[in-house]
Amino acid sequence: MKSPAPLPANEPARLASLRRLHLLDTPVDPEFDQLVELACLLLKMPMGLISLVDEDRQWSRGRWGLAVQQSPRDTAFCNWVVADGTPLVVADASQDPRFAEHPLVTGEPGLRFYAGVPLCLEPGLVVGVLAVLDSQPRTLNEEALRQLELLAGQARALLRLRRKRHMLNEQALLSDSRLARYQAITQGAAAGIVRIDGRGLIQEINDYALNLLGYRRDEVLGHNVSRLMPARWAPHHDHYIRNYLEGGEARVIGKGRRVAALHRNGHSVPVHLAVGQVHQSGPHEHAEFIGILTDLSEMHSAEQRERRAAEMVARQQQLLSVLHKGLTDYHALMSGNRLWAFLQDALRTLTGSDYSLIGEVLPAENGPALKVHAITDLSWSEASRQLMQRWQAGEMLLTNPDSMLGRVFAGGETVLSNDLAEDPRRGGFPPGHPPLHNFLGVPILDDGEVIGMFAIANGRDDYSQELVAWLEPFTSTCALLINLYRQLNERDAFTEQLRQTRDEAERASRAKTEFLSSMSHELRTPLNAIMGFAQLLLNNQRTPLDERQHRQVEQIYKSGNHLLTLINEVLDLARIEAGRIDMSFEAIEVADVVREACDILSPMAQQQHIRLQPQMGRCGAVTADYTRLKQVLLNLLSNAIKYNRPQGQVHIGCRCEGERLRISVRDTGPGIAADKLSQLFQPFNRLGAENGAIEGTGVGLALTKRIVEQMQGEIGVETVPGEGCEFWFCLPLATPAPAALTEALPSRAPAEGAGRTVLYVEDNPANQRLLSELFEPLDGVELTCVPSAELAFEMACASPPSLILMDINLPGMSGLEAALLLGRHPRTRQVPVVALSARAMPEELNQARQAGFRDYLTKPVDLPRLLALLETLTGETS
C-alpha cells in the first residue's frame, strides 16, 4: 500500500477540537445514524458513515450498511480528507494506488466508490468526515456532491448541538449566561429546531424554522406541533408521543425520515425530520423532545426535475417506437388495412386523449375535402353510428371550411382550444353528442401544401403549443405515410396496365421462342444435307476426290460449319436472355481449358500468321461450367486472331485478384476507338465491321458477356488505339477438385455387323439419301427409310429393328407420340429410339427425354457421333 496521508500542520489543534466534543466511545445517537441513512437514501448508496478521526484511529459516530465501528487511521479513506481539508471522491478504489490494497477493498465488503466531505466545527480544524460508499465503481455529479455537502452542514450542526447538550448535562443548573449561549447556538443553526413537551406543545422554535414555515414566533409557541404538519399526519402525532412515553414502539422518536411540513400559506415544504428525546427525570408531562428540520426543497426540486425529465424521455421513447413501427412495418400495416387505426390509437396514447381522428385532404369541386381514414367512435345513436361508418369507408367527405375541422384541413390552421364549451369557433352539437371539453387540430403539410390532418379531444391535460412542437416528428411521419399511401394507390391504378403489358411481353416471348425454334429447324434441315454430303464426299474411300475437288468440298463443309456456329450463337444468346440455359458448376483448372482452346484455334492462328502465347503459370481453379468457359475462351481468342495485324501475337495470362481469378486475352491489333467502347457488348453490333472481310453476326461478345455474368463473373476491355486490345474476365476462385478415381471398364469386342438393322423415320428425301450414303459402306448394317411414324410403327412391330432413328417433326403422328407408343408396345419397348431433329431448344430436348428417347442428335448430324452411337446401341441389342 502507498504511504499513509500526511498529518495536517494543525494536528494538535485539530485533536483538541475533537476532544471538546466528548463524543469518542459514547453510546449511539439515533440522530447521526438517521442523518447517514438520509444521505444514503438521497444518493442511492448502500453504505455511509460519520467518522471522527482520533490520533491513531477512525471511529464511527453514525453509520449505515457498515458493521465496522473503528479502524486504524493510517489505512482509512477519511484520513486523506483530514489531511487535505477538502472533499474526496474516489470513483474506483481498486484502481487508486492509495487504496488498492486496503482490506475493505480487497476483502469484504469490496469497496470501490468513496465520497467524503470534511466536518469542521472551527475553521480549518477537521474533526471528522461524512462519507458515502459503494461496492461498485461510480461517479458523483455536481448536484449530488452539493447534496452531500448540505447534509455535512447538518452533521456539523448535530455535532455542535451534541457538544452543547453535553455541556448542559454536566451542570445541574443552567445559568443565564449558558442559556444565552444555548439560544445563540439554536438560533444560529443552519437547520430548523423545535422543542416540544410531552403533550406536543411547542416550547421553543428557532428563527430558521420560523422562516422556513412562514410563521411568527407568537403564532406557534404554546400551540400543538401538529399545526406544522399536513392534515394527513397531524391527527396521529399526539398518539405517537403518548404511545412512546408509555413504553410503546418508537414510531417517530429516535428515527429520521423524509416528511412534509405545512407552510403558513398552506403549501407543503419537503424536510427531513429527526426527533430525539431530552433525557431527564420526572413525569411524562415534563418530558421534552427536540426536532431537527432539514430543508429538502432544493433536493425535492431536483428530484422533480429529474422525474419530469425521465417522464419526457419515456414519452419520447414511446413516440419513437410509434414512428419506427409505422415506417418499418408500413407494408404489413397497409396489407392488413391497419395503418390508420394504428396511428390513431398511438396518437390517443401519446397525448392522453379520449378521441382522435386522422384524415387525408382531397381536391373537390368547391375546395379541399377531408377523407377520414380513422376516427374514434363518437356515435350516440344508430343514425350517428351509420354516419361514422360511411366516413371511415370513404363514402362521405367533410367539406365545411368554417368548422373547427375545416379551419385545419381547408385553412391550414392549427386550432387549439382548452375551453371548447365557450369557444366561439365551435359549432353546435346535436342532442346526445358526447361532451368535449378541449380540442387540438393539426394540419399535415408537404412542401407547404395541406395533405391531411389529425385531431384530438378530451385530453387529460390542457393542450399547448409545446405539445404541437413535440408532435412534429409524428406529423412529419404522417405526411410521409400519406404520400406513400397515395403512391400505393397510384401503383394499384397501374396494375391492370402492367398486367396487360406483361401478358403482351409473354406473348412476344412465346412468339420469339417459336420463331427461334422454327428458325433452328428450317436452317438446320438444309444444313444437315449440305454438311452431311460434304462429309461423305470428304471421307469416300471408294471414289476419292482429287485435290481440287477435295479443297472445294472442304470449303463447302467449313462454310456450313461456320453458318452452324452463327446459328448456335444466336440461339445461345436468346436462351441466356430468356434464362433457359443450364450450367453445371465445378472446379476447373483454367490452364487446361486455355491449352485446349489454343490447340483448337492453332490451325486458324497459323493460317493468319498469328502466334499464340499462353503464359498461364499457376493459375489455379475457378468455379464455372466447363463447356461455357471453353466457349468464352474460344470466342475471345478467335476475335484476337481475326482482328489482329499480320505477324501479330495473342498473349493469354492470368492473375489472382482477391477471391477471383482474372484471365486476359491481349492482341496486337489496331485497337478500338474510345467512342465505340460503350457499344462493344451489344448484340448484332459489329462497330462498323459489317462491310469488312471478317465474317460474323455481332453476337459473339454479347453472348460471351452473358455467359460470364451467369457464371457470377465480370468481363471488360482495355484498349489503346493502334496498339491492341486486352479483353479480360474474372471468375470466382475454387479449390481444385481431386482427380476422380475411375475403375477400368472391361473391354468388349465390337459387335459383329451381321443382323443389325436400323429403321430411319424421315420425311425429307435429302436427309434420307444422306443417311443411305452414310450407311452404304457399313458391312452388315441394313438401313430402312420410311417417311411417316405410322408406317414405322407397323414395321417395327412386325420385325423389331436394332435401332430406330426418328425425326420429331413428321406428317401425321409426331416423333414424340411415336416414341411413347413404341415404349408401351411389348414388341418394341426394348428397341432403342434416338431422335434426329433440326429442333434444338432446351424444352424440346426435355420433351424428348420424357417421351423415352435414348439420345438426341441435332441436325446437321455429327457423323462420327452417330456412328459411335450406332455401335453402342446396336451392340446392346445384338
Side-chain angles (χ1 to χ4, degrees):
M1 178 183 294
K2 189 176 180 182
S3 60
L7 294 177
N10 58 1
E11 177 69 1
R14 188 192 70 80
L15 290 175
S17 179
L18 175 64
R19 299 286 188 270
R20 285 193 291 272
L21 285 174
H22 299 282
L23 284 178
L24 292 172
D25 303 313
T26 59
V28 173
D29 280 348
E31 293 90 341
F32 290 94
D33 288 340
Q34 292 161 6
L35 185 58
V36 174
E37 179 183 357
L38 173 63
C40 292
L41 293 176
L42 286 177
L43 300 178
K44 298 181 176 58
M45 299 286 181
M47 295 170 282
L49 77 161
I50 294 176
S51 59
L52 301 178
V53 182
D54 201 357
E55 184 176 0
D56 57 0
R57 63 172 175 157
Q58 166 193 266
W59 185 77
S60 299
R61 173 70 271 178
R63 62 184 187 273
W64 172 262
L66 283 170
V68 178
Q69 176 70 48
Q70 65 180 15
S71 61
R73 175 181 175 179
D74 58 354
T75 64
F77 286 65
C78 63
N79 197 30
W80 290 87
V81 182
V82 173
D84 293 337
T86 58
L88 171 66
V89 178
V90 180
D92 188 350
S94 65
Q95 303 299 318
D96 193 315
R98 296 174 295 180
F99 310 112
E101 297 179 11
H102 194 287
L104 295 182
V105 176
T106 59
E108 291 295 333
L111 293 182
R112 290 295 181 271
F113 174 81
Y114 174 90
V117 177
L119 302 177
C120 301
L121 300 185
E122 299 170 65
L125 301 180
V126 181
V127 297
V129 178
L130 170 62
V132 290
L133 308 93
D134 199 344
S135 57
Q136 300 293 328
R138 294 184 57 165
T139 57
L140 204 65
N141 58 31
E142 292 182 2
E143 183 177 353
L145 183 58
R146 172 64 178 159
Q147 293 174 356
L148 187 61
E149 289 175 343
L150 289 173
L151 292 170
Q154 304 310 309
R156 297 185 194 103
L158 283 177
L159 290 174
R160 292 189 181 96
L161 184 61
R162 182 63 179 83
R163 184 170 63 183
K164 282 301 175 183
R165 186 186 302 173
H166 174 76
M167 295 171 62
L168 292 174
N169 288 338
E170 286 183 338
Q171 300 179 6
L173 298 175
L174 190 61
S175 64
D176 292 340
S177 63
R178 291 176 178 174
L179 179 59
R181 283 189 303 202
Y182 166 75
Q183 291 175 342
I185 291 173
T186 57
Q187 293 304 323
I193 300 176
V194 182
R195 182 167 58 88
I196 64 175
D197 62 15
R199 296 171 298 175
L201 301 180
I202 299 174
Q203 303 300 308
E204 184 181 1
I205 184 168
N206 70 349
D207 291 342
Y208 188 97
L210 291 172
N211 294 330
L212 178 65
L213 302 178
Y215 286 97
R216 299 191 310 272
R217 185 170 276 101
D218 62 304
E219 292 178 319
V220 295
L221 288 179
H223 293 272
N224 195 289
V225 72
S226 61
R227 186 173 198 171
L228 308 180
M229 302 176 184
R232 63 182 181 274
W233 293 327
H236 308 288
H237 183 266
D238 290 346
H239 170 72
Y240 294 151
I241 295 178
R242 186 166 53 254
N243 179 68
Y244 172 74
L245 292 174
E246 292 174 356
E249 179 184 1
R251 300 287 299 276
V252 176
I253 312 303
K255 295 182 180 295
R257 58 179 177 173
R258 293 184 66 170
V259 295
L262 184 64
H263 195 275
R264 187 175 184 275
N265 63 14
H267 74 266
S268 295
V269 179
V271 297
H272 177 268
L273 172 63
V275 180
Q277 183 182 5
V278 178
H279 297 283
Q280 59 186 26
S281 59
H284 291 167
E285 59 269 17
H286 294 158
E288 290 189 350
F289 302 90
I290 291 181
I292 300 177
L293 303 176
T294 303
D295 185 10
L296 301 181
S297 297
E298 291 186 9
M299 297 181 186
H300 182 73
S301 298
E303 290 174 351
Q304 288 291 97
R305 290 194 299 271
E306 184 178 350
R307 183 161 46 251
R308 287 194 295 270
E311 292 174 354
M312 180 58 71
V313 169
R315 291 183 65 198
Q316 292 287 4
Q317 290 176 343
Q318 189 178 20
L319 175 60
L320 291 175
S321 176
V322 169
L323 302 183
H324 180 267
K325 182 174 179 61
L327 292 174
T328 58
D329 295 351
Y330 171 74
H331 288 291
L333 292 170
M334 283 299 298
S335 62
N337 199 25
R338 295 180 291 111
L339 174 64
W340 305 113
F342 162 76
L343 292 174
Q344 173 220 3
D345 291 341
L347 183 61
R348 290 176 54 201
T349 302
L350 290 171
T351 60
S353 302
D354 292 337
Y355 305 108
S356 62
L357 170 149
I358 294 182
E360 177 187 3
V361 175
L362 302 177
E365 292 183 3
N366 299 322
L370 182 69
K371 178 181 180 181
V372 177
H373 284 302
I375 184 173
T376 309
D377 189 4
L378 276 166
S379 60
W380 61 94
S381 63
E382 179 61 26
S384 64
R385 185 182 64 81
Q386 293 179 0
L387 181 64
M388 297 194 71
Q389 288 179 347
R390 294 184 65 189
W391 280 352
Q392 288 191 308
E395 298 175 3
M396 290 184 61
L397 302 179
L398 301 178
T399 57
N400 182 5
D402 298 323
S403 65
M404 293 189 79
L405 290 175
R407 288 173 176 269
V408 182
F409 71 77
E413 298 180 31
T414 296
V415 178
L416 190 156
S417 175
N418 287 310
D419 187 8
L420 203 57
E422 302 298 328
D423 197 311
R425 297 172 294 182
R426 179 183 70 87
F429 289 146
H433 191 287
L436 302 178
H437 60 265
N438 59 2
F439 172 85
L440 173 63
V442 179
I444 299 172
L445 304 177
D446 180 46
D447 287 337
E449 177 188 358
V450 181
I451 62 172
M453 70 161 290
F454 65 78
I456 49 179
N458 283 14
R460 291 190 297 269
D461 302 319
D462 285 350
Y463 298 135
S464 63
Q465 290 298 329
E466 288 76 12
L467 176 63
V468 176
W470 183 76
L471 285 172
E472 282 184 0
F474 180 86
T475 310
S476 299
T477 302
C478 287
L480 174 63
L481 294 178
I482 289 176
N483 282 325
L484 290 174
Y485 175 78
R486 289 178 172 179
Q487 292 174 9
L488 185 61
N489 286 341
E490 291 175 1
R491 185 193 68 182
D492 292 341
F494 289 120
T495 298
E496 182 62 23
Q497 297 179 12
L498 292 175
R499 186 189 64 79
Q500 294 177 0
T501 303
R502 181 199 62 200
D503 291 345
E504 292 177 1
E506 289 178 353
R507 285 193 295 270
S509 178
R510 286 194 298 270
K512 175 183 176 181
T513 301
E514 293 172 359
F515 166 74
L516 291 173
S517 177
S518 175
M519 183 181 74
S520 172
H521 180 268
E522 297 301 327
L523 293 177
R524 287 173 184 271
T525 297
L527 274 178
N528 183 53
I530 294 171
M531 296 181 66
F533 281 111
Q535 290 179 80
L536 287 176
L537 290 172
L538 292 172
N539 296 291
N540 192 338
Q541 301 297 325
R542 295 181 179 178
T543 56
L545 302 175
D546 59 32
E547 182 178 352
R548 180 170 176 272
Q549 292 172 330
H550 190 280
R551 187 169 59 253
Q552 292 172 344
V553 174
E554 186 177 37
Q555 186 61 41
I556 293 173
Y557 178 76
K558 287 183 178 180
S559 297
N561 194 51
H562 177 67
L563 180 57
L564 179 61
T565 300
L566 299 181
I567 294 171
N568 287 336
E569 283 184 349
V570 173
L571 294 178
D572 269 353
L573 183 61
R575 291 169 187 160
I576 292 179
E577 288 179 341
R580 296 176 179 174
I581 186 168
D582 295 326
M583 290 192 180
S584 176
F585 291 98
E586 57 182 320
I588 300 171
E589 290 289 343
V590 174
D592 295 341
V593 186
V594 171
R595 190 179 306 108
E596 184 175 347
C598 288
D599 291 343
I600 294 173
L601 295 176
S602 180
M604 176 181 175
Q606 292 175 2
Q607 184 178 15
Q608 300 289 335
H609 303 290
I610 304 297
R611 185 167 55 180
L612 299 179
Q613 293 186 324
Q615 298 170 338
M616 304 307 292
R618 294 184 177 181
C619 283
V622 295
T623 300
D625 179 276
Y626 182 88
T627 302
R628 296 300 174 179
L629 175 58
K630 180 178 174 182
Q631 184 178 357
V632 168
L633 284 167
L634 289 174
N635 283 348
L636 295 180
L637 287 171
S638 62
N639 280 352
I641 294 170
K642 289 189 294 184
Y643 297 100
N644 214 319
R645 61 177 172 78
Q647 309 300 323
Q649 299 176 357
V650 177
H651 299 271
I652 309 103
C654 67
R655 69 171 185 266
C656 289
E657 292 185 349
E659 298 298 322
R660 303 192 305 176
L661 183 69
R662 173 183 169 125
I663 302 103
S664 60
V665 176
R666 179 166 53 88
D667 62 56
T668 56
I672 302 173
D675 58 348
K676 295 185 177 181
L677 287 177
S678 60
Q679 310 170 38
L680 188 61
F681 294 101
Q682 295 178 1
F684 307 107
N685 191 335
R686 298 192 62 204
L687 308 184
E690 295 84 354
N691 300 321
I694 302 174
E695 298 177 338
T697 61
V699 301
L701 285 178
L703 175 61
T704 300
K705 184 175 187 293
R706 302 291 199 283
I707 292 174
V708 169
E709 290 174 347
Q710 190 160 338
M711 292 191 298
Q712 311 304 315
E714 181 184 4
I715 189 170
V717 62
E718 297 172 4
T719 179
V720 177
E723 297 183 12
C725 296
E726 179 179 330
F727 282 86
W728 56 267
F729 64 96
C730 294
L731 293 175
L733 280 169
T735 303
L741 298 177
T742 57
E743 297 182 1
L745 298 175
S747 59
R748 185 172 70 178
E752 296 181 1
R756 290 187 294 177
T757 58
V758 177
L759 181 61
Y760 180 35
V761 188
E762 170 64 70
D763 62 324
N764 187 295
N767 289 335
Q768 290 183 0
R769 288 195 300 273
L770 173 62
L771 264 291
S772 297
E773 294 285 346
L774 172 65
F775 277 77
E776 182 179 352
L778 300 180
D779 296 332
V781 178
E782 180 182 350
L783 177 70
T784 302
C785 297
V786 293
S788 69
E790 292 84 356
L791 179 59
F793 179 72
E794 294 179 4
M795 293 179 62
C797 290
S799 179
S802 303
L803 174 67
I804 298 177
L805 296 175
M806 184 174 297
D807 189 18
I808 299 298
N809 292 323
L810 294 169
M813 183 187 298
S814 71
L816 297 176
E817 295 170 333
L820 289 171
L821 194 61
L822 291 167
R824 289 195 294 265
H825 198 282
R827 292 274 291 169
T828 57
R829 65 171 56 139
Q830 300 301 326
V831 178
V833 182
V834 174
L836 183 57
S837 174
R839 295 189 176 275
M841 301 300 284
E843 56 270 21
E844 294 164 343
L845 271 67
N846 290 333
Q847 292 174 358
R849 282 194 294 269
Q850 294 173 3
F853 283 95
R854 294 285 294 274
D855 209 332
Y856 197 106
L857 301 178
T858 57
K859 299 175 183 178
V861 64
D862 185 344
L863 295 183
R865 183 184 173 195
L866 175 59
L867 294 175
L869 192 63
L870 173 66
E871 184 68 25
T872 299
L873 295 181
T874 56
E876 292 179 1
T877 57
S878 61

